[in-house]
Amino acid sequence: MKRLLTALAAAAITAAPALAQTVVVTNGRVVTNTDAGVIENGTVIVRDGDIVAVGAGLEIPAGARTIDAGGGWITPGLFHPQTQLGLVEVGAESMTRDTEADDSPFSAAISVADGFNFDGNHIDEARIDGITRFAIFPSVGRNNLAGRGALADSTGLPGSLFAAEQFLVIDMARSGAATSGGSKPAAWAYLRAAMNDARTYPGRYLSTQEGIVLNRTDAEAFEAAVRGEMPIVFLMDDDGDIRRLLAFKEENPSLRIIIAGAAEAHQVAEELAAADIPVIFDPMRNLPGSFDTLSSAMNAAAQLFDAGVEVAFTTLGSDIYFNPRLLTQHAGIARAHGAEWEDAFRAITLTPAELYGYGDRFGALAPGYAGDVVVWDGDPLEVMSAPTHVLIEGEVQSMETRQTRLRDRYREIRPEHAYAYHH
Amino acid sequence: MKQHGLTAGLASLLALSLAACGNGGEGGSEGGERASRDRGDGDTEIVRIDTNPYPSTYTPAPSGVTLIRGATVYDGIGGELADTDILIRDGRIAEVGPGLEAPEGASIVDAQGRFVTPGVIDIHSHLGVYPSPAANAHSDGNEATEPVTAEVWAEHSVWPQDPGFDSALAGGVTTLHILPGSANLFGGRGVTLRNVPSRTVQGMKFPDAPYTLKMACGENPARVYGNRGRSPATDMGNMAGYRASWIEASDYRDSWHEYWEQAEAGEEAEPPTEDLELNTLMGVLEGEILVQMHCYRADQMAQVLDMADEFGYQVSVFHHAVEAYKIPDLLSEAGTCAAVWADWGGFKMEAYDSIRENLPLLHANGACGMIHSDSALGIQRLNHEVAKALADGRRMGLEISDADAVSWFTSRPARGLGIFEETGSIEVGKRADIVVWSGHPFSSYSIADQVYIDGALMYEAGNPELQTVRDFMLGQPGEGEN
């Protein structure tokens, strides 16, 4: 079935440019994420994969495929800023896992794009819950330079990965400290030495293949990040670590920094806002799970927004390879604990797109944006709401997954069939 | 539900306790004696096993008379009552109905436009045994040194200062069941707690709640012991391990019964040597200790149900039960419930067939289903977990009322723990364990505004006077935050 869908979709893609396909989503509450705000009873017109018009009372082009939102909500597709979709299928089975490599000679050179499985089943599950774009993170392996992340869409098709080597992940939390020798000071020492190596690449490596800590390949991979051409996502929770990173940024002003984890970021909110450093944050994390997260709190997201920090939400509370689709629930929790709806929704759509340099392409409904459009049967931040339609670049997506097929196989156990399916 | 109402479980537990201590103090004997001797009709001293040597010392916080007015009440057993009042007196629910008269001196809670449910009950928690912070010294949940550790009791590992209890309270949790982890075939005894601050675990123990036994099937025990090059290393090794223990336990039970019969008949008889591990397993065979079994796959659950038949005991609840939707008929035939997640899965092969409609499909196909958390984060919003499952069920066409779904986090777990006669529903005479929600409990935006345990207001959103703060959080960054 999946192969068939894939084949059909591939055919559609091949045919699309010739056909000048127009899809119209209409009769819904349109959340634009732009100055146009929310448009009641609005329409979104997508032509050849791009949005060409958004508004109320738009004329529907002749011959367009029309999707009636039935009074539901029409929003941009969700953009998940931190997943491992396509890198893991079954967590406990190493044969299905390509997240980290303790025994590799490489660190920064590792690129998750090289292991991304575009038709992993969890991608389908994320898609039918409205996630159309996502970032893919490496886990920390050999040392705190975890490697480089990528961006993909959730079509489940070859070619869905649209940006490889888009950001570098450096783990400065306890886990990164552990693999960098055993302490946070060791992790910082390693980071500074690695920075030094990357900065002096390739000169240093002309006479020898080795830097202070990085081999030639890792130094080459790290170079763009050191020059500020590639954002670095620093994983950390503790407010003391975040303050150290702020000082580090002052010493290294060229760096483009994003903080992920950030359980205590609200303690440093003013400083983060002043330094224009965004955070990727899970509003569900409120327990002192470690001594680095003692001040985590349910209203931390609201505090970050109040201070003017740019915030994208993630779903660390669940497995980020299996349940990234819980993003809307996590945003809803932020809303329940003091965040504005608009901020919470932006944190799962436009803000993550901006973090990775795609704020003019994904995360909003406006002409020029990709036709990533989701129709919901209610407020998307409500746990009982779900998408009825998902479009990615104007293509209407299948709402079937391995899970829905299992569900349908077993929906009815009948006496005449010990199994609810036929052989 | 065959044997796990309070009637069956608790009554027989009490019977055993009474037999144990002769004079029948509530909750068993008062002292620390492991086995006590009483005088029967004749001269023979009969040795009994003390089934409750660490009895509950829980006493409810002082509560006055409270009238909650004008709420939409989900009673936890399928009822949705509009514009209804609840009168709480002496820690119990005194009256439920429209337009109740406020007694003099009653605190009145205006719940117009808000919703009330019974207190949330989580049948699967590791709070206290895997507390926050997750320090090595706190990792007390798995006695993973032998595949059979039926002799250990989770209550002896619970750290009552876990700040997670406070966060769970803010999520409406009034009762929770703490289990050992799943490394072992027989992991040890679980304990049911009131979610109240206390210096001691005994001060949290739900009075007279039946003991439970944690068992685990599938990948976990096989992996833990297989990796050490010993049995069990496979599913078949798991089954052989359980069966060997049940045979031993059956013999142990028979030897005690034989001894008691002889002693009661006035014959000369030597009591068997008491064995902590076998005491617990015998408790299961006698129907006093409720089996709470971690299992994922449908075929594994079917094997376990056959084993329960083989040895004549009951599995009360399968926990995690990711594939329960494949065998609702087998579960209902066995009278066994399934406690499940809304949407967790994928983390190991036996969780790979997780579907989001597991709980509603179970319910619709006549099996007994409920939600559980197994998570210090998830326990804080079991109402959301139920809402997600319900919505997914409805989307596939299953007709289930909100009121029925409320039972998945209230009365169902109460029944699964054998405490339903005391809590889990809003009915006259029950403990006043009540949550007043800011909005519909199935909304992302609703929070628990007021949480009552035994009629005492234990938590109120936004009221710093009513935030429980465990010792660990005193003087820490984040003190008093939820």
Side-chain angles (χ1 to χ4, degrees):
Chain A
M1 183 61 183
K2 178 158 193 157
R3 275 205 191 89
L4 178 66
L5 281 174
T6 307
L8 285 173
I13 282 173
T14 319
L19 287 178
Q21 200 178 31
T22 301
V23 183
V24 176
V25 185
T26 189
N27 185 27
R29 182 170 201 268
V30 179
V31 181
T32 64
N33 267 355
T34 69
D35 292 343
V38 173
I39 301 167
E40 299 296 344
N41 197 15
T43 299
V44 178
I45 301 177
V46 183
R47 185 175 300 138
D48 296 338
D50 289 350
I51 294 172
V52 293
V54 179
L58 297 181
E59 193 176 324
I60 294 177
R65 174 171 180 184
T66 302
I67 293 168
D68 186 344
W73 293 49
I74 302 170
T75 74
L78 309 180
F79 193 131
H80 199 305
Q82 188 180 17
T83 78
Q84 294 192 316
L85 285 170
L87 290 187
V88 192
E89 189 69 14
V90 180
E93 296 294 339
S94 58
M95 69 184 290
T96 76
R97 206 175 60 228
D98 279 303
T99 49
E100 76 265 344
D102 295 347
D103 300 328
S104 167
F106 301 114
S107 57
I110 290 171
S111 168
V112 296
D114 294 327
F116 178 66
N117 178 24
F118 63 85
D119 58 3
N121 276 301
H122 308 314
I123 295 173
D124 299 344
E125 292 151 16
R127 182 182 65 242
I128 71 165
D129 257 344
I131 292 174
T132 53
R133 307 275 157 180
F134 53 90
I136 310 156
F137 270 53
S139 295
V140 62
R142 182 164 174 261
N143 55 48
N144 58 354
L145 305 187
R148 289 167 299 167
L151 305 175
D153 68 44
S154 62
T155 53
L157 298 176
S160 59
L161 192 136
F162 63 91
E165 289 142 31
Q166 193 67 14
F167 54 93
L168 179 71
V169 177
I170 302 182
D171 185 351
M172 297 301 284
R174 184 55 55 191
S175 42
T179 62
S180 306
S183 71
K184 286 182 182 174
W188 281 101
Y190 188 90
L191 173 62
R192 289 195 182 94
M195 291 273 295
N196 198 322
D197 281 349
R199 251 194 206 113
T200 55
Y201 174 86
R204 175 198 294 280
Y205 293 84
L206 293 176
S207 52
T208 166
Q209 288 300 305
E210 293 303 310
I212 304 166
V213 292
L214 296 186
N215 62 38
R216 183 186 185 94
T217 313
D218 286 329
E220 184 183 5
F222 196 178
E223 192 200 4
V226 168
R227 282 220 281 247
E229 290 157 13
M230 175 188 285
I232 304 177
V233 181
F234 283 94
L235 308 182
M236 53 175 56
D237 284 317
D238 181 72
D239 57 345
D241 293 336
I242 293 173
R243 288 178 193 282
R244 266 183 285 281
L245 183 61
L246 282 162
F248 187 71
K249 161 79 175 163
E250 275 187 29
E251 295 158 18
N252 300 275
S254 65
L255 296 181
R256 287 167 58 200
I257 289 175
I258 300 166
I259 299 175
E264 295 193 333
H266 56 293
Q267 306 281 32
V268 203
E270 304 290 339
E271 293 89 336
L272 286 169
D276 278 329
I277 293 181
V279 300
I280 298 174
F281 176 81
D282 183 349
M284 196 192 267
R285 270 173 100 201
N286 67 332
L287 288 171
S290 79
F291 280 82
D292 283 0
T293 64
L294 289 176
S295 70
S296 58
M298 278 315 320
N299 63 4
Q303 292 186 49
L304 288 165
F305 286 125
D306 285 349
V309 179
E310 206 181 346
V311 183
F313 288 150
T314 183
T315 48
L316 289 182
S318 55
D319 299 298
I320 59 175
Y321 72 91
F322 181 81
N323 259 343
R325 59 195 166 90
L326 299 181
L327 200 53
T328 50
Q329 182 189 7
H330 290 221
I333 288 166
R335 164 78 187 85
H337 293 275
E340 298 294 331
W341 191 94
E342 291 73 16
D343 289 335
F345 187 68
R346 198 184 196 284
I348 60 175
T349 48
L350 188 55
T351 304
E354 288 170 346
L355 293 192
Y356 297 118
Y358 283 89
D360 58 353
R361 183 68 184 150
F362 307 125
L365 298 179
Y369 277 78
D372 294 359
V373 185
V374 180
V375 181
W376 305 79
D377 59 12
D379 174 354
L381 301 194
E382 281 284 10
V383 278
M384 293 190 80
S385 299
T388 59
H389 298 81
V390 175
L391 278 67
I392 297 178
E393 292 190 68
E395 292 285 337
V396 180
Q397 302 295 307
S398 163
M399 300 298 279
E400 191 172 72
T401 69
R402 183 175 177 278
Q403 285 188 319
T404 65
R405 295 193 61 199
L406 266 170
R407 172 197 72 195
D408 293 341
R409 170 174 282 204
Y410 284 97
R411 62 185 302 150
E412 208 181 337
I413 308 287
R414 287 162 298 177
E416 66 272 27
H417 295 291
Y419 307 89
Y421 57 91
H422 301 281
H423 292 287
Chain B
M1 304 283 303
K2 266 195 260 171
Q3 282 185 11
H4 37 81
L6 183 88
T7 347
L10 185 54
S12 46
L13 178 80
L14 279 174
L16 200 77
S17 308
L18 290 170
C21 57
N23 55 5
E26 184 179 300
S29 76
E30 285 152 17
E33 273 181 286
R34 197 180 72 252
S36 61
R37 288 167 186 268
D38 63 2
R39 286 194 180 273
D41 293 333
D43 297 324
T44 318
E45 283 186 288
I46 301 179
V47 178
R48 305 282 179 186
I49 295 167
D50 183 354
T51 57
N52 195 20
Y54 303 85
S56 168
T57 58
Y58 168 75
T59 45
S63 69
V65 179
T66 302
L67 183 66
I68 299 170
R69 245 187 196 157
T72 300
V73 174
Y74 290 112
D75 64 9
I77 46 172
E80 175 178 345
L81 318 167
D83 198 10
T84 293
D85 300 350
I86 299 171
L87 182 66
I88 300 169
R89 185 185 286 129
D90 299 330
R92 298 264 165 181
I93 296 169
E95 279 181 81
V96 180
L100 298 183
E101 203 64 28
E104 205 176 327
S107 328
I108 295 178
V109 179
D110 177 9
Q112 207 96 41
R114 295 193 288 162
F115 292 76
V116 168
T117 68
V120 179
I121 301 176
D122 191 356
I123 195 170
H124 194 117
S125 172
H126 299 296
L127 289 180
V129 299
Y130 286 118
S132 302
N136 289 331
H138 286 170
S139 183
D140 281 332
N142 244 325
E143 184 70 13
T145 53
E146 286 292 331
V148 181
T149 57
E151 70 276 16
V152 306
W153 296 22
E155 65 189 76
H156 298 148
S157 267
V158 170
W159 182 45
Q161 299 300 341
D162 181 356
F165 288 117
D166 301 326
S167 299
L169 180 64
V173 173
T174 53
T175 299
L176 68 175
H177 178 231
I178 311 302
L179 285 162
S182 52
N184 298 348
L185 299 175
F186 296 90
R189 288 199 198 194
V191 63
T192 301
L193 301 178
R194 308 294 281 152
N195 193 11
V196 296
S198 173
R199 290 176 302 158
T200 65
V201 178
Q202 290 89 331
M204 300 174 77
K205 279 180 80 170
F206 198 116
D208 300 330
Y211 282 99
T212 63
L213 171 63
K214 169 73 179 286
M215 294 176 64
C217 79
E219 291 184 29
N220 288 17
R223 182 167 49 241
V224 169
Y225 294 99
N227 285 344
R228 296 177 196 172
R230 58 174 297 189
S231 186
T234 58
D235 270 3
M236 56 187 172
N238 286 347
M239 288 294 288
Y242 310 126
R243 295 174 79 210
S245 286
W246 287 131
I247 289 169
E248 217 182 322
S250 303
D251 290 347
Y252 182 71
R253 173 198 54 189
D254 292 349
S255 60
W256 275 103
H257 279 283
E258 192 182 340
Y259 160 71
W260 283 324
E261 271 168 34
Q262 289 173 348
E264 279 160 14
E267 295 170 22
E268 279 285 318
E270 267 304 300
T273 305
E274 204 186 339
D275 182 296
L276 284 176
E277 177 186 306
L278 295 173
N279 276 354
T280 293
L281 298 186
M282 178 168 79
V284 171
L285 296 176
E286 303 275 40
E288 280 106 30
I289 295 178
L290 309 183
V291 172
Q292 310 287 340
M293 181 140 197
H294 154 129
C295 270
Y296 284 76
R297 266 177 18 210
D299 58 311
Q300 293 167 336
M301 288 187 265
Q303 302 275 13
V304 168
L305 291 176
D306 277 357
M307 175 170 64
D309 273 349
E310 181 185 6
F311 292 98
Y313 71 94
Q314 172 85 5
V315 179
S316 291
V317 183
F318 282 120
H319 292 234
H320 310 337
V322 153
E323 292 188 6
Y325 68 95
K326 298 183 183 179
I327 50 162
D329 48 341
L330 302 187
L331 292 169
S332 61
E333 203 178 302
T336 294
C337 295
V340 303
W341 295 294
D343 49 24
W344 279 19
F347 39 88
K348 48 186 169 174
M349 281 311 292
E350 63 193 8
Y352 194 54
D353 283 3
S354 149
I355 65 167
R356 295 147 68 173
E357 297 81 1
N358 194 14
L359 183 44
L361 266 174
L362 276 174
H363 183 94
N365 286 324
C368 158
M370 69 191 79
I371 201 80
H372 70 349
S373 82
D374 191 17
S375 157
L377 291 170
I379 192 174
Q380 299 177 38
R381 49 193 68 86
L382 286 173
N383 56 317
H384 279 191
E385 300 308 295
V386 160
K388 287 187 287 184
L390 176 63
D392 286 326
R394 284 181 181 161
R395 237 169 248 121
M396 74 171 288
L398 304 175
E399 285 175 25
I400 300 167
S401 70
D402 288 357
D404 274 343
V406 166
S407 73
W408 298 342
F409 65 83
T410 56
S411 63
R412 281 288 170 76
R415 290 177 199 272
L417 292 171
I419 54 172
F420 178 63
E421 288 201 350
E422 286 288 298
T423 188
S425 64
I426 294 180
E427 293 179 276
V428 171
K430 285 218 172 167
R431 292 176 182 270
D433 299 341
I434 285 172
V435 183
V436 184
W437 301 90
S438 63
H440 196 289
F442 296 158
S443 165
S444 297
Y445 308 141
S446 296
I447 57 171
D449 274 345
Q450 279 98 12
V451 183
Y452 295 86
I453 298 179
D454 282 319
L457 182 58
M458 299 301 287
Y459 172 82
E460 188 166 48
N463 180 355
E465 302 291 306
L466 276 166
Q467 304 275 346
T468 54
V469 177
R470 304 280 147 157
D471 292 354
F472 174 76
M473 287 310 292
L474 279 186
Q476 303 280 17
E479 175 183 338
E481 298 284 356
N482 278 302

